[in-house]
């Protein structure tokens, strides 16, 4: 990559790391950036996934205080995320590249809709009667986390939004604690997918390294300052980037 590309991808990595810590849609920033510089979709997705792993780890570290008392929950749902992420990564490698090219615009637009709906979802979750939610969420929540892991291993944009929706619907807990758990599970999904990708497919290590550096900084900043960012502006930016990326991919 030339200096301009490095600067742009690094800035996208910082933004993605911060967004992942707070909203969970950072892929909608870094993935289109790589596409804009001519990366093939599958290579862009693989390199982006690996690059974002340090960012989600730093976000999880930033929320470490909110993770106290959640060990059993993280082990239980971490197993579902591990299996789901593995399945999703294998599907990405086994399915034809044309299939990924065809389905990604739909996934991106779906992720954009989820990002837009998150404020309403959060208000709905806060207003629900506590009696309708269980302590552990039962089998339905475990299966939901598994399915989200499959999606995250395959592509991953807005998997954090999906997890927060599931947690809020099934669990009775503070949203910040649930957000901390979301960051850990996203790190597990991205981490196991990254191991698969490194083992069996080509990675653009320059792009992955630049995203990793940026997302690490962004994850720490997002965990510390994310609650102070104007959410409307942040979501608007994510949606504009996502819709633009979908339009470009459909046109090509």
């Amino acid at each position: 990559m030339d200096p301009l590309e490095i600067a742009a991808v690094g800035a996208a990595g910082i933004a993605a790391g911060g967004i992942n810590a707070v909203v969970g849609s950072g892929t909608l920033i870094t993935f289109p950036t790589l596409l804009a510089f001519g990366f093939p979709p599958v290579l862009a997705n693989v390199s982006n996934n690996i690059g974002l792993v340090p960012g989600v780890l730093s976000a999880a570290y930033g929320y470490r205080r909110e993770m106290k008392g959640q060990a059993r929950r993280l082990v239980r749902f971490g197993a579902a995320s591990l299996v789901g992420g593995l399945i999703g990564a294998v599907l990405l490698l086994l399915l034809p590249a044309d299939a990924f090219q065809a389905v990604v615009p739909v996934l991106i637009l779906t992720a954009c809709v989820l990002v837009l709906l998150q404020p309403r979802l959060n208000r709905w979750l806060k207003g629900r009667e506590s009696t309708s939610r269980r302590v552990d969420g039962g089998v339905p929540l475990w299966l939901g986390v598994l399915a989200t892991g499959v999606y995250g291993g395959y592509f991953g944009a807005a998997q954090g939004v999906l997890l927060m929706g599931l947690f809020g619907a099934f669990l009775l807990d503070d949203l910040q604690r649930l957000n901390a758990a979301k960051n850990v599970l996203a790190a597990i999904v991205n981490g196991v997918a990254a191991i698969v990708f490194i083992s069996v497919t080509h990675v653009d290590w320059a792009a992955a390294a630049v995203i990793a550096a940026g997302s690490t900084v962004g994850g720490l900043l997002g965990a510390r300052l994310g609650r102070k960012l104007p959410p409307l502006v942040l979501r608007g930016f994510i949606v504009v980037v996502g819709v633009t990326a979908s339009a470009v991919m459909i046109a090509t």
Side-chain angles (χ1 to χ4, degrees), residues 58-131:
S58 67
Y61 176 78
Y63 275 90
R64 61 194 180 278
R65 286 179 297 180
E66 286 85 357
M67 284 190 285
K68 291 181 179 179
Q70 298 199 71
R72 285 188 61 188
R73 174 183 293 170
L74 294 176
V75 170
R76 182 168 183 266
F77 294 127
S81 294
L82 182 68
V83 174
L86 179 61
I87 294 172
V90 171
L91 286 175
L92 177 67
L93 299 178
L94 291 181
L95 294 177
D98 290 345
F100 183 77
Q101 177 83 18
V103 76
V104 161
V106 177
L107 295 177
I108 292 177
L109 291 175
T110 302
C112 289
V113 172
L114 290 172
V115 171
L116 284 175
L117 292 179
Q118 191 184 34
R120 289 190 177 185
L121 178 62
N122 286 342
R123 288 196 295 270
W124 175 73
L125 296 175
K126 289 180 180 179
R128 290 197 65 197
E129 292 293 334
S130 62
T131 55

Side-chain angles (χ1 to χ4, degrees), residues 7 16 23 33 50 71 109 119 124-125 127 132 144 151 155 167 173 175 178 184 196 244:
V23 182
T33 301
I50 294 171
L109 291 175
W124 175 73
L125 296 175
S132 66
Y151 169 76
F155 183 53
F167 284 167
D173 206 339
L175 284 178
L178 296 179
V184 173
V196 173
T244 301

Side-chain angles (χ1 to χ4, degrees), residues 32-228:
T33 301
L34 293 179
L35 292 181
F37 288 118
F39 283 71
V42 174
L43 177 61
N45 189 46
V46 167
S47 305
N48 175 66
N49 178 286
I50 294 171
L52 288 178
V53 170
V56 290
L57 288 173
S58 67
Y61 176 78
Y63 275 90
R64 61 194 180 278
R65 286 179 297 180
E66 286 85 357
M67 284 190 285
K68 291 181 179 179
Q70 298 199 71
R72 285 188 61 188
R73 174 183 293 170
L74 294 176
V75 170
R76 182 168 183 266
F77 294 127
S81 294
L82 182 68
V83 174
L86 179 61
I87 294 172
V90 171
L91 286 175
L92 177 67
L93 299 178
L94 291 181
L95 294 177
D98 290 345
F100 183 77
Q101 177 83 18
V103 76
V104 161
V106 177
L107 295 177
I108 292 177
L109 291 175
T110 302
C112 289
V113 172
L114 290 172
V115 171
L116 284 175
L117 292 179
Q118 191 184 34
R120 289 190 177 185
L121 178 62
N122 286 342
R123 288 196 295 270
W124 175 73
L125 296 175
K126 289 180 180 179
R128 290 197 65 197
E129 292 293 334
S130 62
T131 55
S132 66
R133 289 180 277 179
R134 294 180 47 170
V135 174
D136 62 359
V139 174
L141 179 55
W142 195 92
L143 293 176
V145 173
L146 173 68
T148 303
V150 174
Y151 169 76
Y154 186 77
F155 183 53
Q159 66 168 315
V161 178
L162 291 172
L163 284 171
M164 287 299 289
L166 286 169
F167 284 167
F170 285 94
L171 299 177
L172 178 60
D173 206 339
D174 178 73
L175 284 178
Q176 293 301 334
R177 280 171 52 81
L178 296 179
N179 196 43
K182 174 265 291 181
N183 286 333
V184 173
L185 299 185
I188 292 172
V189 171
N190 283 19
V192 69
I195 292 172
V196 173
F197 297 150
I198 291 170
S199 301
V200 300
T201 193
H202 176 62
V203 178
D204 190 304
W205 286 107
V210 173
I211 293 174
S215 67
T216 300
V217 174
L220 291 171
L221 291 175
R224 179 176 296 183
L225 304 174
R227 299 181 185 91
K228 300 178 182 179

Side-chain angles (χ1 to χ4, degrees), residues 9-21 25-26 29-30 52 214-215 217-219 234 237:
V9 172
I14 293 173
I19 290 167
N20 276 339
S25 311
I29 304 299
T30 45
L52 288 178
S215 67
V217 174
L234 183 62
F237 180 65

